[in-house]
Amino acid sequence: MHWLYLCLAIVFEVGGTLSMKLSEGFTKWQPSVLLVVFYICSFVFLTLTLKELEVSTVYAIWSGVGIVAITIIGFVYFGERVNVTKVISIALIVIGVITLNLSSEKTSDPVPTVSKSIE
């Protein structure tokens, strides 16, 4: 279920970012309201995801997939320019998210913590 929550958090985050662009600096009220609603929903689902998964992995996936999705939407929908530097940068983000995700699955043991005892 936590992976579904993460997917929903990403979808709402992308919707919020698109609304941010469409709000034109909060001058259009409909996208401005959607921006707030989408980001609230995104953070709710992100918080639910963090109940089961590591914050480093979740945040990397959430932000990385969001960055890639928004970049592709920017290229396709908003007609932003594509160049080699942007493509390489996006590829590095994808590689980083995949690598972080794979490394966190291998090290499932929690880091030992030092606790203070009150005597």
Side-chain angles (χ1 to χ4, degrees):
M1 193 69 168
H2 48 278
W3 289 107
L4 174 63
Y5 291 152
L6 181 56
C7 289
L8 289 170
I10 292 167
V11 167
F12 282 114
E13 188 269 334
V14 169
T17 304
L18 286 174
S19 297
M20 191 182 304
K21 170 72 174 166
L22 296 173
S23 75
E24 297 182 14
F26 293 109
T27 59
K28 294 185 176 180
W29 73 269
Q30 297 96 334
S32 298
V33 170
L34 286 176
L35 181 157
V36 173
V37 170
F38 286 153
Y39 270 109
I40 289 171
C41 291
S42 179
F43 287 129
V44 165
F45 285 113
L46 193 62
T47 302
L48 293 173
T49 303
L50 291 173
K51 288 174 67 175
E52 298 293 326
L53 297 175
E54 295 176 347
V55 68
S56 59
T57 303
V58 168
Y59 193 75
I61 293 170
W62 180 74
S63 60
V65 173
I67 290 168
V68 172
I70 288 297
T71 302
I72 292 169
I73 291 168
F75 294 156
V76 174
Y77 185 73
F78 295 113
E80 296 176 358
R81 287 181 280 190
V82 181
N83 61 40
V84 174
T85 304
K86 287 181 181 180
V87 172
I88 291 171
S89 299
I90 293 300
L92 289 172
I93 291 170
V94 171
I95 291 167
V97 169
I98 291 170
T99 304
L100 184 61
N101 193 20
L102 291 175
S103 71
S104 70
E105 289 178 4
K106 290 180 183 176
T107 59
S108 61
D109 294 334
V111 176
T113 58
V114 177
S115 63
K116 291 183 177 181
S117 62
I118 301 174
E119 297 185 47

